[in-house]
Amino acid sequence: ICMQERVGCMATWLEKRIEAINICMGAGYSEAALALLYSGIDTLAFLSAPAAAKVVTWRDFSKWCDRYMVPFMHSAASGIDLYGARCGVLHTSSAASRLGRKGEAREVWYYFKGRAGVNLMTNTPLPSLMLELEALADAFGNGSQQFTADLEGDQTQRTIAQERVGQFFSWGSFNREG
């Protein structure tokens, strides 16, 4: 895959990710939308991670959120709060996370279309944080656009991201007998 195709691949991946999040929200599948959103942040944080990184870390995730999402959010959420929220959604389908239990992040609860997703059993050192799902998705979309624009001005990071995009799944028809 040439470099131009990789840039197109990233743009297509991002467009499809945002479309999938919007489809889930439109159908009322809030938890599925959250899973797609948080895994999308993971992917973009990996594309922005240092050259030697083999996997995305909580530091990469938090840094990406603080740089690209938090400025677009009208809340007190931080990158580490969003990382704890990611862990809760992806690992236990809940707001609970190790970071929340240790007092290193606030539990994130959500509201969406007049309904709330909360943890009635919470017992964490920090107060919880309520986020609107649509606003979180908008912040992801806006942050993704800013990230893409920043890559245009940073040849080193763009090259790292382009190499990593080459690892994305390639979907198409394959002969299983070959």
Side-chain angles (χ1 to χ4, degrees):
I1 298 176
C2 74
M3 287 300 155
Q4 273 303 63
E5 290 171 345
R6 287 185 185 178
V7 171
C9 180
M10 184 177 80
T12 300
W13 177 88
L14 187 54
E15 288 171 15
K16 287 183 177 187
R17 178 56 55 114
I18 290 171
E19 181 181 1
I21 292 167
N22 289 330
I23 288 170
C24 286
M25 288 191 319
Y29 300 139
S30 52
E31 191 175 330
L34 286 168
L36 288 167
L37 192 147
Y38 285 126
S39 66
I41 296 169
D42 266 336
T43 300
L44 295 180
F46 181 57
L47 295 182
S48 71
K54 300 297 181 205
V55 296
V56 68
T57 68
W58 69 267
R59 284 181 182 89
D60 301 321
F61 185 101
S62 296
K63 181 180 176 184
W64 193 91
C65 287
D66 284 334
R67 170 70 179 97
Y68 294 108
M69 283 186 64
V70 170
F72 293 106
M73 298 173 66
H74 302 290
S75 77
S78 69
I80 196 68
D81 294 330
L82 294 174
Y83 184 76
R86 166 227 176 262
C87 293
V89 168
L90 297 180
H91 298 299
T92 63
S93 293
S94 74
S97 72
R98 179 184 52 81
L99 291 171
R101 287 187 297 276
K102 290 172 57 179
E104 295 175 11
R106 291 173 287 178
E107 272 195 4
V108 174
W109 300 351
Y110 307 92
Y111 60 97
F112 176 65
K113 294 187 176 184
R115 301 186 66 175
V118 301
N119 178 4
L120 295 176
M121 303 294 290
T122 193
N123 184 17
T124 57
L126 299 175
S128 61
L129 177 66
M130 183 69 81
L131 295 180
E132 181 183 24
L133 178 55
E134 292 96 332
L136 189 63
D138 286 346
F140 175 69
N142 290 329
S144 299
Q145 288 178 346
Q146 183 63 53
F147 171 66
T148 302
D150 285 355
L151 283 181
E152 290 302 315
D154 184 341
Q155 178 60 44
T156 302
Q157 196 62 48
R158 184 171 66 239
T159 300
I160 293 167
Q162 289 169 336
E163 288 299 317
R164 290 177 177 162
V165 165
Q167 299 173 25
F168 283 10
F169 280 116
S170 295
W171 293 95
S173 299
F174 295 95
N175 180 352
R176 294 181 74 199
E177 295 179 21

